[in-house]
Amino acid sequence: MKKNDELVLEITDMTDEGLGVGKADGFIYFVKDSIAGDTVLCGVTKLKKSYGYARLIRIIKSSPDRIEPPCPVARQCGGCQLQQLDYGAQLRLKENKVKNALIRIGGFPEEQIESLMEPIMPSVKQLRYRNKAQFPIGRGKDGGLRAGFYAGRTHSIIAQEDCILGAEENRIVLSAILSWMESHDIAPYDELSHKGLIRHVLIRKSRAFSELMVCIVINGRELPNKEELIKTLLDALDKEGSSMLGSLSISSNMKATNVIMGDSFSTIYGKPYIEDEIRLFDEQDSDKSLDIKAEALSEGAVQSVRFRISPLSFYQVNPLQMEWLYQKALSYAELRGTETVWDLYCGIGTISLFLAQKAGKVYGVEVVPEAIENAKENAKLNGLGNTEFFVGRAEDVLPSWYEEHKGTGSRGATPDVIVVDPPRKGCDEACLETMVRMQPKRIVYVSCDPATLARDLKYLCQNGYELKRIAPCDMFPQTVHCECAVKLERKILKSKK
Ligand code: SAH
């Protein structure tokens, strides 16, 4: 076999990234856009010693799990890797991904994982579940203004103003912005020449209050024709009778980088935030409550918290699943009302404030200053004075706080529970090490990456903790990503330092 050769493959498996896997002549091939159960004709694109990559040319026999992707540009876009896979099969793939990571990377025995893992929580909505979208603005092949996504490895943009994972309002906002750019001859950013003004549009929607946040990322400091932009947006949203514009801001990013947002933002209309409300339901009732919640925000919530979210703050993208996940994390924390808790990687205080409603004291740590500002405001807004928030990296703040307070009798140095919810790269070892030294009774680990979760759980379990429960949750249907909540308990009760 050599590059560009064609071959027929039976796809027998799928990788964690959603590539089909097939074998021929002792070689393993990875084939994008194919799924387990397919027989495909494909063309070799790359060969290594024992494996290679191939591109799908034609499906000869369809897998029983194959469905027509609901989005017409699913294959070109690449944002969704699993649209051609039936939802039940997507869930199985994710469950296996979590299991495999814990067994292979975490080194946990298969039987232990089988017995501790809860069935994956399916997403109530499989499309239009995202409350946040970021669209690059640029030119299409014909030079016209576009919002959509980059056509694989090029600098031209394929128009897709209505991503079917996102809110319907995105389309209205984007076409208003493009028509304003057109009328005032405002240039989109061009990655190659690093010229042009408008780079990205971030849109976030509050589910509880149908408020929209729009943030325009610019390669410059000032936005011309602001008043016209505000008017165009307000008129467009008004005409379609949809959500209200709660916040319009600009964020200046003049670096030649693929990081989307700039370091700061300034508000040009409305508030510097939008508000959302998260409601938690009784866990026993979770199936029922999810049904109800899918239709409307309903009565019967056992806890609710109102949040302010700035453009630079992290906020979970799938609100219904978020509620389930937080409920799970909270029940794993087993709070009775008097406990001292740390919430590391706390963002705007989402988990912290639910914890604070049930604990004595909650400390939160987060690296983004704007998010901590939100967290403090949110604590006030909800009357939760038993919270304290720190800006900084968890791996810096926690060790230095601990060094300063250990042995002083401060309960923060000997917390009952530590909750962590790190980004994909997981926790830094300096953070894990201090957590272990603080000897909390329980650790609740919320993770968006099974591989780094498995790595960190291995460390914690080698250092005095025991895995108690694992709950995968599908936050991101159509993609390969999987979220998990995990409960750990301290094995040996050593005397506290
Ligand atoms: N628990 C929050 C946020 C989780 S996302 C929620 O559920 O909404 C992870 C958060 O960790 C982000 O807000 C990110 O800004 C923050 N973060 C990333 N690296 C960090 C670090 N080294 N120390 C502290 N926070 C960090």
Side-chain angles (χ1 to χ4, degrees):
M1 278 290 155
K2 54 183 190 314
K3 199 174 163 181
N4 294 329
D5 279 358
E6 293 185 0
L7 76 164
V8 173
L9 278 180
E10 258 180 58
I11 305 297
T12 50
D13 204 353
M14 288 176 81
T15 68
D16 289 348
E17 283 70 45
L19 303 177
V21 183
K23 279 187 198 154
D25 307 324
F27 259 80
I28 295 176
Y29 290 95
F30 300 104
V31 191
K32 191 175 161 289
D33 304 313
S34 73
I35 63 171
D38 281 341
T39 305
V40 298
L41 176 69
C42 53
V44 176
T45 52
K46 203 186 214 175
L47 275 181
K48 300 268 181 185
K49 269 209 180 97
S50 59
Y51 66 93
Y53 292 88
R55 74 187 164 82
L56 174 68
I57 297 174
R58 183 162 54 83
I59 298 163
I60 297 170
K61 193 180 126 259
S62 262
S63 161
D65 292 330
R66 178 173 278 284
I67 57 164
E68 187 60 35
C71 170
V73 288
R75 224 180 129 176
Q76 288 161 285
C77 167
C80 297
Q81 305 82 21
L82 302 179
Q83 275 199 21
Q84 69 282 20
L85 199 61
D86 168 72
Y87 190 58
Q90 290 189 20
L91 293 174
R92 288 198 301 280
L93 182 112
K94 294 188 194 198
E95 263 179 349
N96 282 331
K97 177 175 173 158
V98 175
K99 257 185 221 162
N100 287 339
L102 291 169
I103 295 166
R104 289 193 196 140
I105 303 169
F108 297 100
E110 186 168 353
E111 315 77 68
Q112 188 191 4
I113 298 304
E114 295 279 354
S115 73
L116 299 182
M117 200 159 128
E118 303 185 20
I120 188 166
M121 184 65 196
S123 182
V124 175
K125 287 178 161 190
Q126 287 138 38
L127 297 173
R128 301 240 178 255
Y129 60 83
R130 285 187 66 99
N131 58 16
K132 174 189 162 187
Q134 299 176 115
F135 293 88
I137 308 291
R139 297 200 184 276
K141 273 200 185 123
D142 61 358
L145 283 176
R146 300 270 188 281
F149 58 89
Y150 287 106
R153 293 193 204 145
T154 72
H155 296 276
S156 65
I157 285 188
I158 295 184
Q160 180 56 320
E161 291 168 20
D162 187 25
C163 166
I164 57 168
L165 298 194
E168 316 247 7
E169 290 89 338
N170 295 346
R171 180 185 49 81
I172 305 167
V173 170
L174 290 173
S175 40
I177 291 174
L178 293 187
S179 85
W180 162 80
M181 287 173 69
E182 198 84 65
S183 328
H184 300 280
D185 209 9
I186 292 168
Y189 178 65
D190 175 56
E191 282 188 319
L192 267 186
S193 63
H194 192 50
K195 292 213 170 86
L197 188 63
I198 310 292
R199 294 178 74 132
H200 273 86
V201 174
L202 163 86
I203 309 170
R204 204 177 242 158
K205 180 180 168 182
S206 137
R207 174 165 168 271
F209 308 117
S210 293
E211 251 190 325
L212 293 181
M213 159 182 288
V214 179
C215 179
I216 302 183
V217 186
I218 57 172
N219 175 38
R221 305 221 176 272
E222 273 296 319
L223 196 68
N225 307 97
K226 271 187 234 159
E227 292 310 317
E228 291 82 355
L229 170 66
I230 296 167
K231 187 171 181 317
T232 312
L233 267 174
L234 289 176
D235 285 352
L237 287 168
D238 194 39
K239 201 157 94 205
E240 307 255 358
S242 60
S243 304
M244 307 273 288
L245 184 62
S247 166
L248 174 62
S249 59
I250 50 175
S251 177
S252 162
N253 179 0
M254 293 165 66
K255 296 188 194 134
T257 155
N258 55 12
V259 173
I260 296 179
M261 298 295 287
D263 297 331
S264 59
F265 71 97
S266 60
T267 311
I268 58 176
Y269 174 84
K271 302 158 293 182
Y273 56 80
I274 52 168
E275 288 192 7
D276 200 3
E277 187 168 86
I278 306 178
R279 299 170 191 201
L280 302 192
F281 291 76
D282 207 344
E283 205 184 8
Q284 274 81 42
D285 240 17
S286 75
D287 289 346
K288 204 172 99 216
S289 63
L290 278 173
D291 273 355
I292 306 167
K293 283 191 288 176
E295 285 160 25
L297 288 163
S298 61
E299 289 171 10
V302 288
Q303 274 182 275
S304 77
V305 179
R306 202 170 165 134
F307 290 98
R308 289 186 178 170
I309 313 153
S310 96
L312 294 175
S313 303
F314 174 89
Y315 189 59
Q316 286 284 0
V317 298
N318 184 338
L320 293 169
Q321 301 314 103
M322 162 171 72
E323 291 177 351
W324 185 87
L325 186 79
Y326 291 170
Q327 174 66 62
K328 190 52 88 181
L330 209 65
S331 81
Y332 281 176
E334 286 185 42
L335 300 177
R336 305 266 174 277
T338 54
E339 292 84 350
T340 301
V341 185
W342 282 87
D343 180 21
L344 307 178
Y345 313 87
C346 69
I348 61 170
T350 37
I351 299 178
S352 326
L353 298 188
F354 283 108
L355 293 165
Q357 288 184 336
K358 299 200 142 189
K361 171 91 195 216
V362 177
Y363 297 94
V365 183
E366 158 66 44
V367 76
V368 174
E370 287 79 3
I372 286 292
E373 264 169 47
N374 286 160
K376 288 179 179 167
E377 283 170 7
N378 290 333
K380 263 201 210 125
L381 198 65
N382 293 280
L384 292 162
N386 57 340
T387 50
E388 201 173 321
F389 291 98
F390 304 97
V391 181
R393 302 192 307 169
E395 58 272 32
D396 300 332
V397 172
L398 195 69
S400 63
W401 197 96
Y402 180 64
E403 281 309 317
E404 209 176 301
H405 292 84
K406 70 176 180 193
T408 63
S410 162
R411 289 195 56 194
T414 54
D416 300 280
V417 182
I418 299 181
V419 177
V420 297
D421 183 5
R424 275 188 210 156
K425 68 171 193 270
C427 297
D428 191 279
E429 201 164 308
C431 176
L432 294 173
E433 197 192 311
T434 308
M435 286 164 62
V436 167
R437 290 178 66 199
M438 290 172 123
Q439 299 186 24
K441 280 194 272 310
R442 275 179 292 285
I443 294 175
V444 179
Y445 195 129
V446 178
S447 155
C448 56
D449 185 309
T452 57
L453 170 70
R455 179 200 67 199
D456 293 351
L457 292 182
K458 183 175 183 181
Y459 180 95
L460 292 169
C461 290
Q462 283 170 342
N463 287 283
Y465 284 83
E466 192 177 6
L467 211 51
K468 284 290 174 186
R469 215 81 190 115
I470 307 151
C473 170
D474 191 17
M475 280 275 188
F476 315 104
Q478 319 304 340
T479 79
V480 290
H481 301 294
C482 188
E483 191 88 11
C484 283
V486 174
K487 177 180 176 183
L488 297 129
E489 269 174 15
R490 194 159 96 241
K491 257 189 290 198
I492 323 138
L493 285 167
K494 289 187 215 147
S495 64
K496 288 199 170 183
K497 272 173 257 165

